Amino acid sequence: MTIAKDIHADLTVIDGLQYSNWDRALLEELRDGGISAVHATIVYWEDARQTLSLLADWNRRFRDHGDLIRSARSGEDIRVARKEGRIAFVLGAQNCTPIEQDLGLVEVFRSLGLMIMQLTYNNQSPLGAGCYETVDSGLTRFGREVVREMNRTGMIVDLSHSGERTTLETIAFSQRPVCISHANPNFFHQNVRNKSDKVLRALAESGGMLGFSLYPLHIGGAACTLEAFTAMVARTAELMGVERIGIGSDTVRGWPDSVLDWMRSGRWTYSTAKPSWPEWQSWYRTPVDFGNLTAGLQARGFSGQDVASIMGGNWLRFMDAGFKQANFQ
Amino acid sequence: MTIAKDIHADLTVIDGLQYSNWDRALLEELRDGGISAVHATIVYWEDARQTLSLLADWNRRFRDHGDLIRSARSGEDIRVARKEGRIAFVLGAQNCTPIEQDLGLVEVFRSLGLMIMQLTYNNQSPLGAGCYETVDSGLTRFGREVVREMNRTGMIVDLSHSGERTTLETIAFSQRPVCISHANPNFFHQNVRNKSDKVLRALAESGGMLGFSLYPLHIGGAACTLEAFTAMVARTAELMGVERIGIGSDTVRGWPDSVLDWMRSGRWTYSTAKPSWPEWQSWYRTPVDFGNLTAGLQARGFSGQDVASIMGGNWLRFMDAGFKQANFQ
């Protein structure tokens, strides 16, 4: 693996989604894994007011660990961070709860550095249907307004947890490419969170991005091998094009089981289920193992250029374009 | 007045406080009055969530009237606006309600362009006492934290509606000069909102700014003459120094009487008083009349340079410094 690790250190590695309770030790894991930038979830069910305090907490984290991390609002910020030897954090929300029912809050939260937002998280939202709903509303009236406003203000649309109809309608409606930051193809592992070939093709044709999830439930469990994973990457590259794929590890570190319960149940159900975090696969337990992905892709036969694209280059180009303010109406 | 009006047009005129329901016609009043920049109040009693929607409304106003106005977050923005022929708006809050009890919200709202904030509005707040309280708490524990954070983030402290003890303690505690954006000396007109010589001296010695109010209740009513007003300005210049004074007209346009009731009563009292807007003086009815102030100061014998300083130059220098991020802890 020595050669692979050397190559890994030269890459701009971008993880398309993590949600961790970052302290110094967890930030150092990112550094040790050679990660240049992370799309970090800050919201699951929080409303506008709660999101303000979460952003304030991030301001403090950026100050307290300014030698290790910085905020990023553009691809350029990611490049600068890499030159400075810091990890760039792109903040995002896995739900539309921060904007409540106020269209103007898209621009307000974009101004505060909320760069990526899911339209739905598992459930029906005012914008569209989540992937666990029986009936898929599609992109709603308010949803169309919000997508248009996200397009205008340079906030990237994420459809990872959306239902299929909502996903397809949003891909078609959005004036800018959207992403599915953390999910896998259903041809690899059938799961309500994974995506059909139809969705993946539409995403690719629109110029969008898929981030491959490393979350055990999205790859069929911890028994999944690195070889099986990279075979999936290769098949998806054939389906979507190698420039449309990246990593979105869905890594979760430093949270107790109660946070998994919060992610699933929020305050919308009195469910008494007490879920536990799954066991992770041997080849990816923490972000320290990111180099194994580079090695695995090389072993699969991807060219150096393609490995660089998948490990971060594609996300970087996508974010370069996606975070720019647009003149769309 | 022809000569005075010519001079007026060459000045960078800054109004240290207005609160109007700006539509196109009211924005054109500012332009016709030769005003370069306005500190515009957006908050009296609104909490964090409500302030977000008000900021969103301002985003929209800046878009809809982008040929006439722009947002300003620095003295340089004001200079650029003047070159562009646009009026610069510096947004501010007359109360600390937006930050609720969350210290981190100072930086969050500063990031959103809330540039100036009063610690108190008439009543006791978590930060200090308003000028209508019987007992003046002085600057509180949380108040000291907030002032320190405003100093750090470049949000200017405004004490116009604070009690005397709170005002003096804040002037002494703040690491950066503060302002009283809209009030007059008590030697001119005794009023709970006007300020003692002691406060004015302390403000001046600390490098702070006083903006003279044109609000009828602060000058003794609409019968007050322009000559009496400019005589007050001259006496205050002797007391504070001519570089420490400016205008803070407290102009209110386009609001029904119910908004005056809201300003006074918020939701903290069931008062059934139904106040009405006062009649304004003949020499200042609307911002269109701003040139009369320049003419009046000239007639009073101020030099051209001093007139320029009072009409905007002092505010501009104060904002240049006050909006910069600091390294204070």
Side-chain angles (χ1 to χ4, degrees):
Chain A
M1 297 279 213
T2 311
I3 293 166
K5 293 245 166 168
D6 282 348
I7 289 169
H8 184 71
D10 290 337
L11 301 180
T12 296
V13 175
I14 301 181
D15 192 349
L17 194 124
Q18 295 194 14
Y19 177 63
S20 293
N21 186 19
W22 279 287
D23 56 14
R24 187 88 191 166
L26 293 178
L27 294 173
E28 286 171 349
E29 281 187 356
L30 300 177
R31 185 196 56 195
D32 296 346
I35 294 172
S36 307
V38 176
H39 164 214
T41 293
I42 69 168
V43 160
Y44 282 96
W45 300 101
E46 289 84 351
D47 65 14
R49 174 63 187 84
Q50 293 168 318
T51 302
L52 292 183
S53 286
L54 293 170
L55 287 163
D57 292 344
W58 273 94
N59 283 338
R60 188 162 180 189
R61 189 174 279 124
F62 286 128
R63 283 203 299 281
D64 288 350
H65 306 289
D67 58 319
L68 263 184
I69 62 175
R70 60 164 286 164
S71 162
R73 298 184 180 201
S74 65
E76 190 54 24
D77 284 349
I78 295 174
R79 291 185 184 86
V80 169
R82 185 162 158 74
K83 276 182 202 144
E84 295 169 341
R86 298 197 283 176
I87 302 149
F89 272 78
V90 175
L91 305 184
Q94 291 212 27
N95 209 338
C96 61
T97 46
I99 66 165
E100 298 179 4
Q101 312 252 346
D102 186 336
L103 184 61
L105 294 195
V106 173
E107 185 168 17
V108 165
F109 279 109
R110 173 62 178 74
S111 299
L112 287 170
L114 195 77
M115 307 304 296
I116 300 175
M117 186 173 81
Q118 291 198 161
L119 303 190
T120 68
Y121 184 74
N122 296 346
N123 287 9
Q124 181 71 45
S125 83
L127 313 185
C131 57
Y132 284 90
E133 293 288 355
T134 310
V135 176
D136 190 329
S137 64
L139 186 64
T140 64
R141 299 176 75 207
F142 183 44
R144 289 191 290 273
E145 297 291 333
V146 169
V147 168
R148 197 181 283 123
E149 184 70 349
M150 292 174 76
N151 287 167
R152 185 180 75 81
T153 58
M155 187 188 282
I156 288 176
V157 173
D158 187 353
L159 298 165
S160 301
H161 285 254
S162 295
E164 175 143 330
R165 180 176 172 174
T166 294
T167 300
L168 291 168
E169 288 184 9
T170 304
I171 291 169
F173 181 82
S174 179
Q175 292 165 292
R176 310 181 87 162
V178 303
C179 76
I180 292 173
S181 67
H182 58 303
N184 292 323
N186 259 328
F187 69 69
F188 172 65
H189 174 66
Q190 182 73 38
N191 181 292
V192 70
R193 276 274 286 103
N194 286 337
K195 307 303 174 187
S196 71
D197 286 11
K198 188 176 179 183
V199 162
L200 298 178
R201 271 200 203 95
L203 183 67
E205 283 164 13
S206 69
M209 274 288 294
L210 172 71
F212 293 108
S213 171
L214 302 174
Y215 195 66
L217 304 188
H218 304 155
I219 60 173
C224 173
T225 63
L226 178 56
E227 292 66 32
F229 182 84
T230 59
M232 167 192 72
V233 173
R235 184 168 157 194
T236 312
E238 283 174 26
L239 181 72
M240 295 184 68
V242 75
E243 74 282 10
R244 307 264 60 90
I245 56 178
I247 305 295
S249 72
D250 211 1
T251 301
V252 188
R253 298 280 294 155
W255 294 116
D257 287 346
S258 58
V259 167
L260 181 58
D261 192 23
W262 156 253
M263 287 162 59
R264 291 196 183 161
S265 300
R267 295 184 62 82
W268 68 269
T269 172
Y270 294 143
S271 166
T272 55
K274 296 289 171 209
S276 305
W277 295 112
E279 190 191 347
W280 288 66
Q281 49 279 14
S282 60
W283 47 275
Y284 186 83
R285 292 200 180 282
T286 79
V288 170
D289 298 326
F290 242 74
N292 289 339
L293 299 174
T294 298
L297 293 173
Q298 286 193 296
R300 174 59 53 195
F302 282 101
S303 70
Q305 190 180 326
D306 286 351
V307 172
S309 293
I310 297 168
M311 291 302 296
N314 290 335
W315 273 127
L316 186 57
R317 285 183 287 275
F318 183 74
M319 290 180 184
D320 264 333
F323 293 151
K324 290 212 172 86
Q325 308 275 313
N327 288 319
F328 301 134
Q329 274 308 320
Chain B
M1 295 280 212
T2 313
I3 292 165
K5 294 246 165 169
D6 282 347
I7 288 168
H8 183 72
D10 289 338
L11 302 180
T12 296
V13 174
I14 300 183
D15 192 349
L17 194 123
Q18 295 193 16
Y19 177 62
S20 293
N21 187 19
W22 279 287
D23 55 14
R24 187 87 192 168
L26 293 178
L27 295 173
E28 287 171 348
E29 281 187 354
L30 301 177
R31 184 195 59 196
D32 295 347
I35 293 172
S36 307
V38 177
H39 164 212
T41 294
I42 70 168
V43 160
Y44 283 95
W45 300 102
E46 288 84 352
D47 65 13
R49 174 62 187 85
Q50 292 168 320
T51 302
L52 292 183
S53 287
L54 293 170
L55 287 164
D57 291 344
W58 273 95
N59 283 338
R60 188 163 178 189
R61 189 174 279 123
F62 287 129
R63 282 204 300 282
D64 287 350
H65 305 289
D67 58 321
L68 262 184
I69 61 174
R70 58 163 287 163
S71 163
R73 298 184 179 201
S74 66
E76 190 55 24
D77 284 349
I78 294 174
R79 290 185 185 87
V80 169
R82 186 162 156 74
K83 275 182 203 145
E84 295 169 341
R86 297 197 283 176
I87 302 150
F89 271 78
V90 175
L91 304 185
Q94 290 211 29
N95 209 338
C96 61
T97 45
I99 65 163
E100 298 177 6
Q101 311 251 349
D102 186 336
L103 184 60
L105 293 196
V106 173
E107 185 168 18
V108 166
F109 279 109
R110 173 62 178 74
S111 300
L112 287 170
L114 196 77
M115 307 304 296
I116 301 176
M117 186 173 80
Q118 291 198 162
L119 303 190
T120 69
Y121 184 75
N122 297 344
N123 287 9
Q124 181 71 45
S125 84
L127 312 185
C131 56
Y132 284 90
E133 292 290 354
T134 310
V135 176
D136 190 330
S137 64
L139 186 64
T140 65
R141 300 177 74 206
F142 183 44
R144 289 191 291 274
E145 297 292 333
V146 169
V147 169
R148 196 181 283 123
E149 183 71 350
M150 291 173 77
N151 286 167
R152 185 180 75 80
T153 58
M155 186 188 282
I156 289 176
V157 174
D158 187 353
L159 298 165
S160 300
H161 285 254
S162 294
E164 176 142 329
R165 179 176 174 172
T166 294
T167 300
L168 290 169
E169 289 184 8
T170 303
I171 290 169
F173 181 83
S174 180
Q175 294 165 291
R176 311 182 87 162
V178 303
C179 76
I180 293 175
S181 68
H182 58 303
N184 292 324
N186 259 329
F187 70 69
F188 172 66
H189 175 64
Q190 181 72 39
N191 181 291
V192 69
R193 275 273 287 104
N194 286 337
K195 306 303 174 188
S196 71
D197 286 10
K198 186 175 179 183
V199 162
L200 297 178
R201 273 199 202 94
L203 184 67
E205 283 163 14
S206 69
M209 274 287 295
L210 172 70
F212 293 108
S213 172
L214 302 174
Y215 195 67
L217 304 188
H218 303 156
I219 61 173
C224 173
T225 63
L226 177 57
E227 291 68 32
F229 182 83
T230 59
M232 168 191 72
V233 173
R235 185 169 157 193
T236 312
E238 284 173 25
L239 180 74
M240 296 184 67
V242 74
E243 75 281 11
R244 307 263 60 89
I245 56 178
I247 306 295
S249 73
D250 212 1
T251 302
V252 187
R253 298 280 294 155
W255 294 115
D257 287 345
S258 58
V259 167
L260 181 58
D261 193 24
W262 156 252
M263 286 161 61
R264 292 197 182 158
S265 302
R267 294 183 63 83
W268 67 271
T269 172
Y270 293 143
S271 167
T272 55
K274 295 290 170 210
S276 305
W277 294 111
E279 191 191 345
W280 287 66
Q281 49 278 15
S282 61
W283 47 274
Y284 186 82
R285 292 199 180 283
T286 79
V288 169
D289 298 326
F290 242 75
N292 290 338
L293 300 173
T294 297
L297 293 173
Q298 285 192 297
R300 175 58 54 193
F302 282 102
S303 70
Q305 191 179 325
D306 286 352
V307 172
S309 292
I310 297 168
M311 291 304 294
N314 291 336
W315 272 127
L316 185 57
R317 285 183 287 275
F318 182 75
M319 291 180 184
D320 265 333
F323 293 150
K324 289 210 172 87
Q325 309 274 313
N327 290 318
F328 304 132
Q329 271 309 318

